[in-house]
Amino acid sequence: MDEQKRPRAWVYARIPGDYDGTMNSYKVCSMQALHDGCDIVGGSIDERGGWLLRPGYRDMLRQIKAGKVDRVYICRMRQISGKERHLYSFFKRLMQHGVQVTATEYSLRDRVNMFRLARRVERYATRKGLRLPW
């Protein structure tokens, strides 16, 4: 009998300068991943800004590239970056590896559609024949 494989989740949190807020965000994301039936295979916490200077963010990307993650849980997209070009790069990487992302603070599908970024991501997914990451 084939057992359905549980999704492997990575939990990521970053709120620069706010240790309690960062830890609470991480806990909320972890609880949501467990509620969604995921196995949490890893997680990372960054307490500082800087796009690629964050070791936890880089570790998450390595795990995605290695094919060890099916879903990423974050509280809100600003924890990844406030810059559209960085978010676009993040979404492209997720789609290339078939990884879904869940933002626990709001509906990512509804929120991302308010931005030009959503159209860019959708065009990329259509062009490459990939599934949207949300």
Side-chain angles (χ1 to χ4, degrees):
M1 181 186 307
D2 274 341
E3 230 178 89
Q4 192 79 344
K5 213 172 131 180
R6 291 168 49 111
R8 300 164 297 170
W10 187 272
V11 177
Y12 180 75
R14 177 192 73 92
I15 303 174
D18 180 6
Y19 178 80
D20 291 335
T22 301
M23 295 310 294
N24 287 336
S25 175
Y26 189 86
K27 289 175 189 172
V28 166
C29 290
S30 297
M31 289 188 308
Q32 183 65 49
L34 293 172
H35 180 267
D36 291 347
C38 295
D39 287 331
I40 299 174
V41 296
S44 52
I45 297 172
D46 286 316
E47 290 187 58
R48 66 181 103 135
W51 172 235
L52 291 176
L53 300 176
R54 296 178 268 153
Y57 180 79
R58 288 193 323 263
D59 189 28
M60 176 178 62
L61 293 181
R62 278 192 296 274
Q63 299 304 315
I64 289 170
K65 187 176 181 180
K68 298 179 180 179
V69 176
D70 301 310
R71 293 186 188 171
V72 170
Y73 282 80
I74 57 172
C75 192
R76 56 190 163 282
M77 291 312 298
R78 184 134 177 88
Q79 291 180 337
I80 298 299
S81 179
K83 296 185 179 183
E84 185 175 303
R85 72 178 188 270
H86 296 158
L87 286 174
Y88 180 65
S89 173
F90 177 68
F91 283 129
K92 278 176 53 176
R93 172 118 2 143
L94 293 179
M95 288 186 294
Q96 290 165 351
H97 296 284
V99 174
Q100 297 290 292
V101 65
T102 298
T104 60
E105 189 173 84
Y106 48 71
S107 165
L108 185 58
R109 185 184 314 268
D110 295 339
R111 179 82 177 206
V112 105
N113 283 328
M114 297 185 321
F115 299 98
R116 183 181 69 208
L117 170 65
R119 289 186 293 281
R120 288 182 67 200
V121 170
E122 288 171 346
R123 282 193 303 265
Y124 178 81
T126 301
R127 194 171 62 243
K128 299 289 185 174
L130 300 171
R131 192 171 99 195
L132 288 171
W134 51 80

